[in-house]
């Protein structure tokens, strides 16, 4: 029996070293060599300072910036709380939250009471961390941003158009706009 226990302990130590240390360090090394930007968190630098990631959304509250999707991940797109709200489509709390967000979006953007608000301005993504909005959500905000910055709506609309990312591989997902990259270029436009 001692031989079986001894073999089990040796296998545990061997696989702990192999799969707990060697394999993860090897994968990190390969990722750093082949995909350095992605392995480093896809950090966006602005004037030599890291300002965010291409992969994690940020909350923008100034009328001079495009707003991101609402986040269900706590305050400020907290990655430690990444999740959706887990509220079903008939949940009264979700329906009230969506109605409130839609009303706020209409008021903030000077839209009519009957105007349809793009869903990504009122619903959080599944992770609560999505850095993208749809082109429709970006265009919905153009007039507010242009007015707050003293630009023409056409200038801001063209900037949004230049930031539309196509579907992955031409058919996966939807067209989208990275809000942080759009807002950084908006700062550069002025």
């Amino acid at each position: 029996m001692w031989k079986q226990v001894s073999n089990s302990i040796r296998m545990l130590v061997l696989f702990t070293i192999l799969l707990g240390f060697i394999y993860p360090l090897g994968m990190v090394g390969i990722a750093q060599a082949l995909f350095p930007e992605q392995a480093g968190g896809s950090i966006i630098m602005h004037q030599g300072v890291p300002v965010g990631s291409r992969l994690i959304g940020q909350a923008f509250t100034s009328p001079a910036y495009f707003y991101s999707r609402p986040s269900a991940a706590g305050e400020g797109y907290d990655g430690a709380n990444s999740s959706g709200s887990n509220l079903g489509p008939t949940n009264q709390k979700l329906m009230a939250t969506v109605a409130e967000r839609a009303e706020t979006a209409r008021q903030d953007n000077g839209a009519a009471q009957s105007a349809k608000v793009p869903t990504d301005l009122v619903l959080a993504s599944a992770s609560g961390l999505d850095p993208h909005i749809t082109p429709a959500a970006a265009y919905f905000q153009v007039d507010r941003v242009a007015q707050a910055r003293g630009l023409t709506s056409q200038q801001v609309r063209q900037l949004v158009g230049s930031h539309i990312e196509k579907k992955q591989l031409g058919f996966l997902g939807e067209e989208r706009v990275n809000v942080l990259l759009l807002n950084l270029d908006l700062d550069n436009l002025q």
Side-chain angles (χ1 to χ4, degrees):
M1 180 171 142
W2 175 245
K3 186 176 180 179
Q4 290 175 335
V5 171
S6 173
N7 284 341
S8 297
I9 292 172
R10 275 185 269 176
M11 292 302 287
L12 175 66
V13 170
L14 173 70
F15 280 108
T16 299
I17 292 169
L18 182 66
L19 299 175
F21 296 103
I22 295 173
Y23 178 75
L25 290 174
M27 289 298 104
V28 168
I30 290 170
Q32 287 289 344
L34 297 178
F35 310 104
E37 181 184 343
Q38 293 89 338
S42 299
I43 302 298
I44 298 171
M45 303 295 282
H46 182 67
Q47 298 175 347
V49 177
V51 294
S53 169
R54 293 180 188 276
L55 307 174
I56 306 291
Q58 294 184 19
F60 291 94
T61 56
S62 168
Y65 289 104
F66 286 89
Y67 299 156
S68 300
R69 286 184 82 141
S71 176
E75 294 297 318
Y77 293 81
D78 181 7
N81 292 322
S82 175
S83 71
S85 67
N86 294 327
L87 300 176
T90 59
N91 183 285
Q92 292 301 315
K93 182 178 178 182
L94 177 64
M95 291 167 53
T97 300
V98 167
E100 180 182 322
R101 288 176 180 164
E103 182 57 32
T104 300
R106 286 186 196 101
Q107 287 176 357
D108 288 351
N109 293 288
Q113 274 300 97
S114 60
K116 291 192 179 219
V117 178
T119 57
D120 49 327
L121 291 179
V122 296
L123 293 172
S125 65
S127 69
L129 303 174
D130 193 353
H132 298 97
I133 58 175
T134 61
Y139 287 128
F140 187 81
Q141 302 178 67
V142 162
D143 291 336
R144 171 184 49 82
V145 173
Q147 182 180 7
R149 291 195 173 250
L151 300 169
T152 67
S153 293
Q154 185 60 29
Q155 287 175 298
V156 177
R157 190 172 284 283
Q158 285 176 341
L159 187 64
V160 169
S162 70
H163 276 273
I164 296 175
E165 299 173 14
K166 302 297 180 195
K167 296 178 180 184
Q168 294 173 331
L169 302 176
F171 67 95
L172 292 175
E174 296 295 325
E175 290 185 338
R176 60 207 174 279
V177 176
N178 187 299
V179 177
L180 176 58
L181 294 175
L182 176 60
N183 284 334
L184 287 174
D185 275 357
L186 192 58
D187 284 342
N188 292 336
L189 186 62
Q190 287 189 305

